[in-house]
Amino acid sequence: MKRACVIGWPIEHSRSPLIHGYWLKHYGIAGSYSKEAVRPEDVRSFLGSLQENGFVGCNVTVPHKETAFALADEKDASAVAVSAANTLWIDDGKLCAANTDTYGFMTYLRASVPDWDNADAPVSVLGAGGAARAIVYGFLEAGVEEVRVFNRTRDRAEALARDFGPRVKVYDWDERGLHSRKCAVMVNTTTIGMNGVGSLGIDFHTFDTSCVVCDIVYVPLQTELIVRALGRGLRVVDGLGMLLHQAVPGFEKWFGVRPEVTPGLWDVLLADIEAATC
Ligand code: ATR
C-alpha cells in the first residue's frame, strides 16, 4: 500500500487529508494519507528516512517549507522561485521537491476567468510572503508585464522585487487601493480576513469593472474582500479552488492517477469549512 502524508508543526489544522482521502476513495486506490506532527528539529531526520518509513512522498506545511526545499536533491522551477517546497516525492532514491501553489493558483484563475489577462493591464498582489512569491512567479510566467506588490513591511516587498526582476514594482501598503484600481487582477495573499478577522479596507467603487478579485484565504469562503468585490459586481476567485488544485500534482506523483477537482470534492471541503465557521 502506498503511503503519503502531510508534515507540519502544528498539523491539526491541515485539510490536505480530506482532499487526498477523498481521491483515494473515489479512485479506489489502496493507499493512505496521514497527518504527521513533525517538530522543526526533526524535519531533517523525518525526510531523510521518508522512504525507509514507507512513504512515497508528502506535503509540507508551515513551518517546514523552506527546510524541505533546502533538503531536497531536485527542485522544480516554482520551488526555486519561491525558495520553498510544499510537495515532495522520492524518485530513484532522490528527494524531489515542487511548489504547487503557483500551479494551483493559476489553474483555478484560468478555469474561473479564462479571459483574466485580456485587459493587458498590470496585476496587483497584496502581501510578500511565500504565497505571494508563488503567485508573482505565476503571473510572470504567464507573461504579465507589470506585477505590483504591496506589503505592510515594505522591505519584504523590495526583497521580492529584487529576486524577480524589473517587471515587479513595489508600492506602499497604503496605496493598495489607489494603485490597484486599473489592474486586471488583484490578489490578497495576506492573512487579513482569515476567520473573519481584519479588513483590507478596499473600496471597489473606484475600480475598473473588469478587475478580477482573488483571495487565497478560504475560511470563510466569502471573505470580506470577496463580499466587497461582489458588491461592486466584480468577478471573484475564492481561495478554496487554489487549495484543491495545488493538491493535484502531488497525488499524481504518489499514487499514479491525475485526480480531478470535482463538485463532490468541493462539497466535502465546503462542509468542513462551514462546520469551522459556525
Ligand atoms: P505565507 O508564506 O503563507 O504567504 P507569511 O510569510 O506569514 O505567509 O506572509 C503573511 C503575509 O501577510 C505577509 O505579507 C504579511 O505582511 P508582513 O510582511 O508585513 O508581515 C501579511 N500580513 C499579515 N498580517 C497583516 C496585517 N495585519 N496587516 C497587513 N499585512 C499583514
Side-chain angles (χ1 to χ4, degrees):
M1 185 172 85
K2 287 182 175 173
R3 292 170 60 210
C5 63
V6 54
I7 66 166
W9 184 261
I11 195 56
E12 269 322 300
H13 65 280
S14 174
R15 288 188 166 84
S16 292
L18 269 184
I19 303 172
H20 293 286
Y22 177 90
W23 281 331
L24 284 170
K25 200 168 157 204
H26 181 79
Y27 293 105
I29 294 170
S32 74
Y33 185 98
S34 56
K35 285 180 193 173
E36 303 292 333
V38 178
R39 292 172 188 274
E41 59 270 30
D42 296 333
V43 176
R44 178 180 288 270
S45 67
F46 186 92
L47 293 182
S49 48
L50 199 62
Q51 195 170 19
E52 232 170 90
N53 290 335
F55 290 107
V56 290
C58 65
N59 281 129
V60 183
T61 187
V62 181
H64 302 327
K65 293 183 184 184
E66 288 80 12
T67 311
F69 172 77
L71 292 170
D73 302 307
E74 284 177 10
K75 304 149 193 208
D76 81 348
S78 177
V80 171
V82 182
S83 296
N86 68 352
T87 304
L88 303 175
W89 67 97
I90 311 281
D91 187 10
D92 207 12
K94 285 192 179 134
L95 186 63
C96 302
N99 190 312
T100 64
D101 282 343
T102 304
Y103 168 84
F105 177 78
M106 294 306 296
T107 302
Y108 187 52
L109 173 61
R110 288 185 174 114
S112 308
V113 188
D115 65 345
W116 67 272
D117 57 351
N118 266 3
D120 202 21
V123 301
S124 147
V125 175
L126 310 187
R133 282 179 176 261
I135 289 168
V136 167
Y137 177 67
F139 282 134
L140 293 175
E141 282 293 287
V144 172
E145 284 300 325
E146 184 181 338
V147 181
R148 298 181 175 179
V149 177
F150 305 81
N151 197 50
R152 175 180 59 180
T153 310
R154 190 176 166 116
D155 285 358
R156 225 176 157 196
E158 304 275 8
L160 188 154
R162 271 196 302 279
D163 290 347
F164 284 101
R167 282 194 284 158
V168 177
K169 307 269 191 263
V170 177
Y171 287 83
D172 275 349
W173 176 244
D174 291 345
E175 298 177 318
R176 60 193 179 280
L178 182 66
H179 290 300
S180 299
R181 292 187 309 192
K182 301 202 175 306
C183 284
V185 184
M186 169 193 247
V187 190
N188 173 44
T189 76
T190 76
T191 49
I192 296 173
M194 198 180 281
N195 301 316
V197 179
S199 166
L200 280 157
I202 306 281
D203 177 5
F204 286 111
H205 286 96
T206 56
F207 275 53
D208 280 0
T209 49
S210 56
C211 181
V212 179
V213 177
C214 313
D215 204 334
I216 72 161
V217 173
Y218 55 86
V219 182
L221 191 67
Q222 301 253 303
T223 58
E224 182 245 17
L225 187 76
I226 296 273
V227 170
R228 281 196 190 208
L230 286 172
R232 163 74 166 148
L234 303 182
R235 291 169 298 175
V236 299
V237 179
D238 61 72
L240 184 56
M242 174 181 172
L243 177 78
L244 299 179
H245 283 280
Q246 66 76 33
V248 168
F251 189 91
E252 185 180 25
K253 286 279 181 207
W254 308 320
F255 300 114
V257 173
R258 189 158 185 92
E260 271 187 80
V261 174
T262 54
L265 176 63
W266 270 92
D267 287 347
V268 170
L269 272 292
L270 286 174
D272 188 67
I273 290 169
E274 204 161 298
T277 45
C278 57

